[in-house]
Every structure is written in C-alpha cells, then in structure tokens.
Amino acid sequence: MSATGSVEFDVKDIGLAKQGKQRIEWAEREMPVLRLIRERFAEEKPLNGTKLVACAHITTETANLARALQAGGAEAILIASNPLSTQDDVAASLVSDWGIPVYAIKGESTETYNRHVRTALDSHPEIIIDDGSDVVATLIKERGDQVKELVGSTEETTTGIQRLKAMEIAGVLTFPTIAVNDAQTKHFFDNRYGTGQSTLDGIIRATNILLAGRNLVVVGYGWCGKGVALRARGMGANVIVTEIDAIKAVEAVMDGFRVMPIAEAAAIGDIFVTVTGNRHVIDGDHFARMKDGAIVCNSGHFDLELNLVALRGMAADPVTMRPFVEEYKVKATGRRIVVLGEGRLINLAAAEGHPASVMDMSFANQALSVEYLVKNKGKLAPGVHLLPPEVDTEIASLKLQALGISIDTLTAEQIEYISSWETGT
Ligand SMILES: NC(=O)c1ccc[n+]([C@@H]2O[C@H](COP(=O)([O-])OP(=O)(O)OC[C@H]3O[C@@H](n4cnc5c(N)ncnc54)[C@H](O)[C@@H]3O)[C@@H](O)[C@H]2O)c1
C-alpha cells in the first residue's frame, strides 16, 4: 500500500492511469443520464461531506459513478466487489486523476479482498454502496459498534438483496437499505440485456469459439438467464433452459426454448452458463455426464454455482489453455471439461462487464438512491426499501430524452376513461 499526496490506495500499477482515463471518458459518452445527474450534483452538492464506501466491479462505468458521487460532495472510497473484475488501468486513473482512494487489484487473493473490505470500513462510512452484500455483512458481523454510524446502504445485485432479506428476517438489519437491483430501470435492462450480451462476450473472448450450431445450456431463466438465452439464440446457438420454478420454465417453453432437467441437459450441452444466484447448480454428477470438451462458466454473482470442489476431486490438475480457460480431465472417463474464469462472473473476468449505456441506468439508480438516503437521513425505517417508482420513471424518461426518442402522453379523455368504471360494453 502506498500514497500519492494524501490519497491512500492499493492498485496494481499507478502508471496505467493514462489509458484508464481515456477509457473512462470513452464510457462516459454512453452514459448521458449519469452525466446529467453529475452536473446537477456538482451544482447542488447534495452529498456534501458524506463518507461513502462503494464496493463494486472497478470498471470504466463504476468510475463514472464515482465521479458523480464526488461531484455531489461525497468522500468516496472504492473497493472491488469481485477479485477478478477489476480493470487495473481504471483503478489507477481514479487515484491519480480524480484523487479517489481505490483498493482493488485484478486477481487479488481472497485475503487481499477481505483486507480491502476492512480497510474501507476503517473509514467509518455513513453510506455503503454494496454489490453482493459483503461489506454490509462484514460490518454487521465484525463491527457492531460502527453500525449506528450508517445512514443506510444500497445494493446492486439480486444475490445481495437475497442476503439482505435474510438479514432482515434474522433481525440484524438495523438500518435502511435501497434495493437498487429491484428498480425496473435496473433489472429489466442491466440483468437482461447487459448480462445477455456481456456473458456471451466473455465466453467468446476467452475461447474464440463459434456459438452457432452449439447446444448452449442456460441454468436459471430469471432476468439474467432470459438475456443470455435470447442473445445466444440470436447468434445461432440451440438454447436449452433448466429451471426449478414452474412459471419460469413455462415462460422459457413459450419463448421457444427446450426445457429439461440439468441431469439430462448435462449429457448434450456443448456450453453451460449458470445464472441462478444459487449453490452447486452444476454438481459433480452433472460434470460426470458431460461430453468431452464441454465448456462451463458462470455469470451469477458468486463463484459457487459450479461445484468446482467436486470437479477437482474427479479430475487431474487443470491445464491452463488460454487466459481464463482451464481444462480438467476427468479421471474415470478421460473426458475433458473446460472451466472459464475460475467459475467467477465470466462477463467481468474475461470481458469488460456490461456496456456503458446499460450501466448508465443502473448507476443513475445508485446515485439517486444515495441522494435519497442522505435526504431522508433518520426518516426511513430499517429494512429493505424500493426506490420510489417516480425515480424509476424519471430515469427511463431521461434515457429516452438522451436517445432522442419521444413518446405519447395520455389525453384528458383517456385519463378520465381509465380512471372511471361506468363505461363498459
Ligand atoms: N453477470 C452479471 O453481470 C450479473 C448482473 C446481474 C445479476 N447477476 C447475478 O446473476 C444471478 C441471477 O440474477 P437474476 O437477476 O437473473 O435473478 P432471478 O432471481 O431473476 O433469476 C434466478 C433464476 O434461477 C432459478 N434457479 C434457482 N436455482 C436453480 C437451480 N438449481 N437450477 C435452475 N434454476 C435455478 C430461479 O428459479 C430463478 O428463475 C444473481 O446471482 C445475480 O446477483 C449477475
């Protein structure tokens, strides 16, 4: 750990800043909604002096969120929400060009990752922006006396909200938290179209394989799964869906996909993508059935969707074929199974995460959620909250405005009609 001026940081190479700055500015062009928010924040300073920790994938888009928070007057510290997702040049530029403390190195060990979480908590944040709820969970588990200093937190992803709801039930969530993921302008777009495109981007960059004509198995038909299935079909893959929820499974059937249990799909899939937020959805039994050369990856939040412990137990030591591509030879059958990105989020490990125009909406939600928490300090009950629906609509309207698209408004006659019950057949 070292310091430039008064800024503490732990990044790979501060010399990468120039390239990082260019890429941050490139992403900014695709983030018009966040830019508008940043410009307003710069004038109004709604976050003046607020101590904030943001745990996020350290990408060009996150850098633009950090710039908006800083413009609003927040004193933000950034840490990685995943050991493999950091873009080292972006981390360097945030420190060197914007004076923002960043603790994130691509490929950092779990120990370093946890040390960074604790270093960030040493700053006694009033707001936590979390992605997967590791910071909030560490605060509750290890720093009980600090919890009262927190105004609130925001949560970026489905898995994090699942954990927060479990904390609420356990009675340990004693502050308000905003479920950013549950805003419509977040999960309809980021989880579906963002994950849909960037997951395939990660698979292709890691392997350079052709998707057309392959059997691609999507495990989980939630928002992310729908996006991956839709885009994979668009590239000519034969998509198979596996689910545990009957409604989602019927939806997948009606959307035109083959649906079957994973035990069956395991034997015919060429490529497998897990997006469930659940544990061991591809397990040892499934690896045992796979074809020679099957490619397996995960785009769900944590690296426990694939049971790699079981695979390691069944196979010889893996051989690294290319960056983010490890081949395991199953001892009993001699068949090879290819695991991408160590089972971590493939779109962030092997590609660059979501395109900026999608993150524009997700991070507009983050910035406005932080402002909402600060404005309503002491007024919100502990627990998981949604952002008010009018904020969702405002973000969608700003996006349309930025795209140069206008839509219709209800006429007075229509307003009267839809709010009355008298007129029928
Ligand atoms: N890669 C990314 O950039 C990215 C972006 C957003 C969300 N995420 C993460 O992706 C995961 C999924 O998010 P989502 O928004 O799609 O959640 P979701 O709740 O909408 O969908 C998850 C789906 O998985 C299904 N499922 C659960 N266990 C299963 C099993 N054993 N087999 C088959 N299906 C199973 C559920 O029924 C559900 O339909 C979460 O961990 C989330 O945090 C990743």
Side-chain angles (χ1 to χ4, degrees):
M1 216 170 296
S2 46
T4 53
S6 60
V7 183
E8 294 287 331
F9 62 89
D10 191 14
V11 303
K12 184 167 183 209
D13 178 3
I14 201 73
L16 297 171
K18 186 167 177 242
Q19 177 192 317
K21 183 163 190 260
Q22 266 172 345
R23 294 202 314 112
I24 292 167
E25 287 171 355
W26 173 254
E28 199 253 0
R29 295 188 201 177
E30 291 276 307
M31 304 185 85
V33 178
L34 196 60
R35 188 188 319 131
L36 286 173
I37 293 171
R38 189 182 75 219
E39 286 164 5
R40 177 171 69 73
F41 274 14
E43 271 176 32
E44 298 175 6
K45 299 279 175 207
L47 313 179
N48 226 357
T50 304
K51 285 195 219 156
L52 184 151
V53 165
C55 178
H57 302 295
I58 308 299
T59 60
T60 52
E61 296 80 19
T62 300
N64 282 299
L65 171 63
R67 289 173 65 190
L69 298 168
Q70 186 184 52
E75 292 169 20
I77 293 180
L78 260 61
I79 54 174
S81 60
N82 183 296
L84 271 190
S85 63
T86 299
Q87 296 170 3
D88 291 316
D89 56 345
V90 169
S93 171
L94 280 169
V95 173
S96 151
D97 298 306
W98 281 280
I100 296 175
V102 181
Y103 299 86
I105 300 169
K106 183 159 182 135
E108 64 193 19
S109 64
T110 308
E111 294 73 51
T112 305
Y113 173 87
N114 288 328
R115 191 182 75 233
H116 287 162
V117 171
R118 295 190 180 104
T119 304
L121 286 175
D122 288 344
S123 70
H124 291 260
E126 299 160 274
I127 300 278
I128 294 171
I129 294 180
D130 221 345
D131 186 350
S133 274
D134 274 352
V135 183
V136 164
T138 308
L139 179 80
I140 292 173
K141 277 194 257 178
E142 298 180 8
R143 310 268 178 117
D145 51 328
Q146 245 181 265
V147 172
K148 59 181 179 310
E149 297 169 8
L150 205 66
V151 173
S153 74
T154 69
E155 175 51 54
E156 172 75 6
T157 200
T158 316
T159 286
I161 290 167
Q162 213 169 296
R163 290 178 87 187
L164 288 166
K165 288 189 175 153
M167 290 176 203
E168 205 172 7
I169 290 166
V172 296
L173 192 68
T174 54
F175 49 84
T177 181
I178 310 279
V180 167
N181 180 76
D182 293 353
Q184 296 189 44
T185 44
K186 202 281 183 178
H187 65 270
F188 282 5
F189 301 91
D190 170 314
N191 300 32
R192 183 165 40 174
Y193 304 116
T195 313
Q197 176 168 315
S198 62
T199 297
L200 299 187
D201 185 17
I203 296 170
I204 293 166
R205 287 201 210 187
T207 61
N208 194 28
I209 55 160
L210 183 73
L211 296 185
R214 303 285 172 101
N215 288 337
L216 188 145
V217 180
V218 179
V219 183
Y221 200 64
W223 290 104
C224 294
K226 287 183 180 53
V228 174
L230 180 73
R231 294 307 187 230
R233 175 163 62 192
M235 294 190 75
N238 299 311
V239 177
I240 297 167
V241 168
T242 74
E243 251 299 343
I244 45 100
D245 179 319
I247 296 175
K248 303 277 178 58
V250 175
E251 203 182 352
V253 171
M254 298 288 173
D255 285 343
F257 299 112
R258 274 195 290 168
V259 176
M260 62 184 75
I262 182 65
E264 223 174 283
I268 54 175
D270 297 305
I271 305 159
F272 296 81
V273 184
T274 55
V275 262
T276 66
N278 206 350
R279 190 184 185 85
H280 295 171
V281 296
I282 296 188
D283 217 333
D285 305 352
H286 309 134
F287 286 123
R289 290 166 177 249
M290 285 181 190
K291 296 199 273 195
D292 184 38
I295 295 172
V296 185
C297 67
N298 167 49
S299 212
H301 190 78
F302 285 122
D303 62 343
L304 39 66
E305 302 214 9
L306 309 175
N307 188 352
L308 293 183
V309 175
L311 180 60
R312 285 185 198 114
M314 297 157 62
D317 284 346
V319 180
T320 302
M321 307 300 289
R322 294 160 55 103
F324 313 112
V325 180
E326 286 187 323
E327 190 172 87
Y328 290 79
K329 195 166 194 174
V330 177
K331 287 180 200 153
T333 60
R335 291 200 286 258
R336 292 161 300 178
I337 293 175
V338 178
V339 176
L340 307 184
E342 300 170 17
R344 297 191 185 279
L345 294 157
I346 187 60
N347 58 336
L348 283 140
E352 295 173 65
H354 299 343
S357 62
V358 166
M359 295 315 292
D360 189 28
M361 287 192 285
S362 306
F363 285 165
N365 273 292
Q366 283 288 4
L368 297 183
S369 295
V370 170
E371 182 184 36
Y372 180 73
L373 282 170
V374 172
K375 273 195 180 152
N376 291 287
K377 180 177 175 177
K379 292 186 209 152
L380 300 172
V384 182
H385 295 253
L386 279 178
L387 246 194
E390 56 274 17
V391 178
D392 234 349
T393 306
E394 184 194 333
I395 293 171
S397 303
L398 287 172
K399 191 71 178 176
L400 284 174
Q401 191 187 319
L403 293 168
I405 295 169
S406 44
I407 59 171
D408 293 317
T409 46
L410 289 169
T411 62
E413 184 193 17
Q414 288 164 347
I415 292 173
E416 198 198 328
Y417 175 72
I418 57 177
S419 35
S420 68
W421 58 271
E422 285 94 347
T423 316
T425 316

